[in-house]
Amino acid sequence: MLCQSCGKNQATTHVKSIVNGELREYMLCPECAKKMGYGSLFDGFGFNLGNFLGSFLGEEMPEAPVNTVRCKGCGSSFEEIAKTGKVGCAECYHTFYDRLMPSIQRIHGNTTHTGKIASCAGVEAKRENELEKAKEELKKAIQEQAFEKAAELRDRIKELEGKGNSDEKMV
């Protein structure tokens, strides 16, 4: 759709305004929107959301060289992913694994999914998850020098480990 103000450029900004109870809608190109005072939410702060997200994946790069490695699935290069902050497709994770993992670790704090366990999961899987959580809590308690809590967690960990071993011995 063309800009409703200049009629020349492609409209990218949709503006709705209500004046005296009457709804008015405009489709504007970036230049006309800026002239009319409809800039980005972050204008004036020196902030670009695309650059912000891209900074998590690496520094902004100049134009990509001709021999750049590209994803087989979507054709994205790592430089494009770093610039936009968006991964093109699932295949990108395989293609750029070594370069993406440090960024994912830095952003999320972990590179493995630690979500909930499905209710249909076995007792052993639930026990292992509880054991893993208890070990993490123990590390935290030791760092915080909460030794009473650490002793309780130590005992709980021994109990959980004992349950797993006793089940194996019975088989």
Side-chain angles (χ1 to χ4, degrees), residues 17-86:
S17 64
I18 299 176
V19 179
N20 296 328
E22 185 181 326
L23 175 66
R24 295 181 185 175
E25 296 185 58
Y26 304 99
M27 291 299 294
L28 305 171
C29 67
E31 293 81 20
C32 291
K34 197 167 195 171
K35 286 177 192 173
M36 296 175 82
Y38 299 109
S40 168
L41 173 65
F42 300 108
D43 280 354
F45 292 105
F47 183 80
N48 181 321
L49 188 60
N51 289 345
F52 174 74
L53 293 173
S55 69
F56 281 113
L57 297 174
E59 297 178 16
E60 281 192 50
M61 302 286 184
E63 290 299 313
V66 176
N67 60 354
T68 299
V69 175
R70 296 204 169 267
C71 173
K72 295 173 190 169
C74 65
S76 296
S77 69
F78 181 77
E79 289 75 18
E80 292 167 352
I81 293 170
K83 186 175 182 180
T84 64
K86 297 176 184 174

Side-chain angles (χ1 to χ4, degrees), residues 5 73 112 126 160:
S5 178
T112 57
K126 290 180 181 179
L160 289 168

Side-chain angles (χ1 to χ4, degrees), residues 129-147:
N129 189 40
E130 189 177 344
L131 180 61
E132 188 177 315
K133 285 181 182 179
K135 287 180 179 181
E136 289 296 319
E137 287 181 35
L138 176 62
K139 286 179 187 177
K140 188 176 178 182
I142 291 170
Q143 287 175 346
E144 294 173 353
Q145 296 184 358
F147 298 116

